[in-house]
Structure formats: structure tokens, C-alpha cells
Amino acid sequence: MQFTETQLPGVFVIELDRHEDDRGWFARTWCREEFAKHGLPIELAQCSISHNAQRGTLRGIHFQSAPHAEAKLIRCVAGAAHDVVLDLRPDSPTFKQSLATELSASNGRALFLPEGIAHGFQTLTDDSTLFYQMTSPYVVEAATGVRWDDPVFNIEWPLPNPILNSRDQAWPDFAK
């Protein structure tokens, strides 16, 4: 695996080292030793999957508040998604800045997000599936988010008229 730290401190793009032959390819997607070598958490508490039937589905922007904050490793295992991460760590030099990248089954790329980074995505294809590995279990009372179109963040999404649920439409304006 190849770890590239982004402009958001602690956020890494992780590329697979594919071993290919005429049958296809094989690659490790997680390795305790490699994550430890990069100073990333090695204890996982939960894995989740998000299947999205329609192109244009937008989920986010979500995070868990302290003391249940979680680090996440996210990859797309079917289809493709425009993945957005948002730095909500008040002491970070990149507070309120975002980063977007395409995650797809074909590129195999993953994103590692430390605690304090919120996450959202918009699907670029029908039948897109994202797989999450998290360092803390989901706690419904700690689940929160910010609005996908909050002008404070000025996030650009690739597809107009996203498919949203009522919760993601109703997050309040970010408290500046």
C-alpha cells in the first residue's frame, strides 16, 4: 500500500499495490503493521457498508462527536463516488477546509480519516457501495453532521439535484 498524506493533516489517500496477472489482481486493503508505521490507529471496532442504488445519491456530511469520535478507512467496492472530507477540528490549521477525491471499485483507492474529520459522498454511478472500517462503534446519540451545501464550507458537488434524505437536508447552519 502507498500512503499519501493530503493537505488536511492526518488524512491519507491509500493506493493499493496490485499484484496482477491474466486472472485479475490481488491486493492487501489493510495491514496493521503498515498502518502502525504511518502512526495510524490499528484497532478496529466496527465495519459498515453503504449501498446506494441511484447515481447522484448524496450522504453526509457526517461525524461522531466526542467522546465517541472515530477514525475511518473508507473505500468504494462497487461503482464510484465523489468523496468529500471536511476538517472540523477547531485547533487544526485546515479547520473548515475540505478535500474531494474519487473513490471507485476500479481505482481501488481508500481514504483514511482521523477523528474530527467529517465525511460525505455523492455517487457517480448506480449501484455504488462504500465499505467503512472504524475505530469506534456507532453511537446514535453521538451521530451528527453538517449540511452538504452549507455556504461556510463552499463544497462543490459534481452532480446537480442530489438525492438526499430528510436528515441530511435538515442539518443547521454551521456555528462559525
Side-chain angles (χ1 to χ4, degrees):
M1 291 179 284
Q2 300 168 31
F3 292 72
T4 304
E5 191 166 14
T6 69
Q7 68 266 24
L8 302 181
V11 174
F12 286 81
V13 173
I14 302 170
E15 303 282 349
L16 298 176
D17 289 327
R18 295 182 183 193
H19 302 281
E20 299 186 43
D21 63 24
D22 57 347
R23 301 167 295 173
W25 56 268
F26 176 87
R28 284 185 302 162
T29 60
W30 188 84
C31 174
R32 177 180 33 207
E33 289 79 17
E34 292 216 26
F35 272 68
K37 187 181 349 175
H38 289 87
L40 304 179
I42 58 171
E43 296 299 322
L44 298 175
Q46 182 173 309
C47 295
S48 297
I49 197 161
S50 171
H51 177 75
N52 306 275
Q54 291 183 285
R55 177 180 188 260
T57 298
L58 196 149
R59 294 185 186 255
I61 298 172
H62 304 143
F63 63 99
Q64 281 199 169
S65 58
H68 304 287
E70 60 190 359
K72 296 179 184 176
L73 179 66
I74 304 162
R75 75 177 59 254
C76 184
V77 296
H82 176 82
D83 204 272
V84 173
V85 298
L86 175 63
D87 192 342
L88 292 180
R89 301 169 292 184
D91 296 334
S92 171
T94 56
F95 180 54
K96 296 192 285 187
Q97 292 181 28
S98 65
L99 164 80
T101 191
E102 184 174 315
L103 300 181
S104 69
S106 61
N107 72 22
R109 181 178 300 139
L111 277 175
F112 174 82
L113 317 179
E115 293 179 5
I117 300 289
H119 173 253
F121 64 88
Q122 185 177 37
T123 59
L124 301 174
T125 64
D126 288 343
D127 293 318
S128 293
T129 303
L130 281 79
F131 181 72
Y132 296 70
Q133 294 170 276
M134 287 128 350
T135 59
S136 296
Y138 179 75
V139 176
V140 69
E141 299 82 17
T144 189
V146 298
R147 207 174 60 253
W148 67 281
D149 63 349
D150 191 319
V152 168
F153 307 120
N154 197 32
I155 296 170
E156 294 185 27
W157 297 94
L159 302 174
N161 306 313
I163 300 164
L164 295 153
N165 69 11
S166 58
R167 182 181 81 157
D168 288 343
Q169 290 178 26
W171 293 117
D173 286 342
F174 184 75
K176 301 167 186 167

